[in-house]
Amino acid sequence: MNPVSTPVRVLIVDDQEILRRGLRMLLELEPDIEVVGEAEDGRRALAAMPESSPDVVLVDARMPVLDGIGFTERCARDHPEARVLALTTFDDTELVRAMLDAGAAGFLLKDVSTSGLREAILQVMRGGTVVDPRVVRTVIDRPAGDGLTPTERAVAGLVAEGCSNRVIAERLHLAHGTVKNTVSALLRKFGVRDRTALALHLAREQRPGEKRGG
């Protein structure tokens, strides 16, 4: 991904100081990213927003005082110009759904690579949405009552991992044309434009209280 013309202003919000400092050190090496501040919880982050004016806020989903969900809801209401990118060590499907419903533009696990984090920041800055494929796969592997056939669900899972149609065809032993038609059918069924939107839609459609089938 090419650098942006003006550095993306990033606010880091995490209750663990060592993680905040580590993220700052990594991101300050990127010429197209400027770290404009840190906060240890959602309440302090909201207080820092007017002065720091971040384009993207990296938020730990689980924090004391005001957690990532609460912060994201308040940020979407009071600072809609800022994009929230959630970070967590948990691949909890309920947490993913709650953060996205609150208005987060993306959800990543904290072991994301530096290059992956940079690309995610730039993508959400440009209006895109990013969800770690491992998180989405965990969500969509659960029965959703959405009427998907086994083939559609298998294809959707690999789409969430970022696989091309050719790779999906090889893994599932399907014809390339079958995969292409299945992806097109999934996009039409859920009324979305692209693969990322498809994965997010499936994540949001999961209903609370459902159990994994045996």
Side-chain angles (χ1 to χ4, degrees):
M1 184 178 292
N2 295 327
V4 295
S5 57
T6 303
V8 179
R9 297 170 62 84
V10 175
L11 174 65
I12 301 171
V13 187
D14 195 297
D15 61 314
Q16 297 186 46
E17 181 178 2
I18 190 170
L19 291 178
R20 294 198 309 270
R21 296 298 172 86
L23 285 170
R24 176 186 278 273
M25 290 176 61
L26 290 173
L27 293 177
E28 286 182 339
L29 297 175
E30 302 296 334
D32 42 15
I33 293 175
E34 176 187 1
V35 178
V36 295
E38 301 175 20
E40 63 190 56
D41 58 59
R43 187 172 62 187
R44 292 174 186 267
L46 287 171
M49 293 288 287
E51 182 177 353
S52 59
S53 298
D55 301 307
V56 176
V57 186
L58 292 181
V59 179
D60 185 7
R62 296 181 182 272
M63 298 181 294
V65 184
L66 182 63
D67 65 9
I69 298 170
F71 169 81
T72 302
E73 291 173 341
R74 294 274 300 277
C75 185
R77 184 188 69 197
D78 300 334
H79 305 279
E81 72 284 355
R83 305 276 285 169
V84 174
L85 183 56
L87 292 170
T88 186
T89 55
F90 301 87
D91 57 351
D92 186 299
T93 58
E94 298 298 327
L95 182 62
V96 176
R97 179 169 50 253
M99 287 295 297
L100 295 174
D101 287 345
F107 196 102
L108 300 174
L109 298 184
K110 285 185 177 178
D111 64 354
V112 63
S113 66
T114 302
S115 61
L117 179 58
R118 170 186 175 270
E119 291 180 5
I121 289 171
L122 297 185
Q123 185 166 333
V124 299
M125 172 60 185
R126 294 187 172 103
T129 303
V130 179
V131 176
D132 190 301
R134 294 167 297 172
V135 175
V136 177
R137 184 61 188 271
T138 298
V139 174
I140 68 176
D141 274 350
R142 298 168 64 200
D146 50 22
L148 294 184
T149 67
T151 297
E152 287 173 336
R153 181 160 293 281
V155 169
L158 293 177
V159 166
E161 291 184 3
C163 296
S164 67
N165 286 353
R166 186 172 302 280
V167 170
I168 294 173
E170 291 174 354
R171 290 194 185 183
L172 299 181
H173 306 289
L174 298 172
H176 184 269
T178 299
V179 174
K180 183 177 179 180
N181 291 338
T182 301
V183 171
S184 296
L186 288 167
L187 296 178
R188 289 194 304 272
K189 176 176 289 189
F190 294 112
V192 294
R193 295 184 304 172
D194 54 39
R195 293 176 177 227
T196 299
L198 170 63
L200 288 174
H201 180 88
L202 291 170
R204 289 189 174 114
E205 284 296 300
Q206 297 298 317
R207 295 178 301 192
E210 288 180 330
K211 304 296 184 181
R212 181 182 296 272

